[in-house]
Amino acid sequence: MKRRRPIHNDTVASARPLLVWSALAIVYVVWGSTYLAIRIVDTSMPPLLAAAARFVLAGGLLAGGLLWRQGPGALRTSWRQLANAALVGCALLAGGNGLVMLAERSVASGLAALIIASEPLWIVLLRIGGGDRVARTTMAGLLVGLFGVALLVLPGASGGGTLPGLALLLGAALSWAAGSFA
C-alpha cells in the first residue's frame, strides 16, 4: 500500500481561499441541517435507534475506507486505545447526540441548535477547572458568541421547548464538551 504524506503547514497555508471558504460553508450547511434532520427522524423512528443506526453506518463506512486504503493493520488497537475511544464515544455519541435526539421530541430544532452552541462555554469551564489559563481573547470571543446566541434565543425567536427537553440539551452540550476535552 502506498503511504500518504502528512499535510504540512506550508500546504495548508497555500490552500486556495475559495476552497477553504467553500469547505466552511459546507460544514455550516451540513452541521446546521443535522438538527432539522433529527427533528424529522424523531417523528418516524425511536430517537436512540435512529442515532445508533446513523453512527453504525458512518463507522462502518469509515472502517471500510480505512481497510481499503491501509489494510487490516490500520484497525489494530490496544486495550487502552479501545477504552479511551469508548469513553470519548459514549460522551460524544450517547451523551451528546443521544440527548439531542431525545430532547428534540419536545424542543424546536432551531432552539436545540442554539442551545448546543453553549458547548464552547462548557469547554472553557472544563479547561479552567483543569487548571488551564484561558486567554482574554478566548474569553472575549466566547462572550460575543454567547451574546449572539442569547439574542437569537429571545422569547419567541426560535420556538419553544419543555424544561426537561432544555435540560437534556444542556446535558448534551456538557457531554460533547467533556468528550472533546478528554
Side-chain angles (χ1 to χ4, degrees):
M1 290 263 148
K2 182 179 176 182
R3 267 209 128 136
R4 301 219 178 246
R5 291 178 39 202
I7 296 175
H8 297 287
N9 287 339
D10 57 339
T11 305
V12 174
S14 68
R16 288 183 239 141
L18 181 60
L19 291 177
V20 172
W21 284 107
S22 297
L24 187 58
I26 290 169
V27 168
Y28 282 158
V29 170
V30 171
W31 197 321
S33 63
T34 297
Y35 297 95
L36 177 58
I38 288 170
R39 185 70 173 175
I40 293 168
V41 166
D42 270 353
T43 62
S44 61
M45 196 172 181
L48 296 179
L49 179 61
R54 174 183 171 198
F55 289 112
V56 166
L57 177 64
L61 290 171
L62 288 171
L66 193 59
L67 281 169
W68 179 69
R69 289 187 67 174
Q70 297 182 6
L75 295 180
R76 287 195 192 104
T77 59
S78 68
W79 284 107
R80 183 177 177 164
Q81 290 170 324
L82 191 59
N84 285 338
L87 177 67
V88 170
C90 284
L92 295 176
L93 304 181
N97 193 265
L99 291 177
V100 169
M101 294 290 293
L102 292 171
E104 279 206 43
R105 292 183 299 171
S106 62
V107 176
S109 61
L111 181 58
L114 291 171
I115 290 174
I116 293 301
S118 71
E119 181 187 355
L121 169 67
W122 294 111
I123 290 175
V124 167
L125 291 175
L126 288 170
R127 285 183 58 197
I128 291 170
D132 287 354
R133 293 183 62 166
V134 179
R136 287 182 181 160
T137 54
T138 300
M139 292 302 292
L142 178 66
L143 292 175
V144 168
L146 287 175
F147 180 72
V149 169
L151 286 175
L152 293 171
V153 180
L154 286 173
S158 303
T162 65
L163 189 57
L166 297 171
L168 285 172
L169 288 170
L170 285 174
L174 177 58
S175 187
W176 259 319
S180 299
F181 187 70

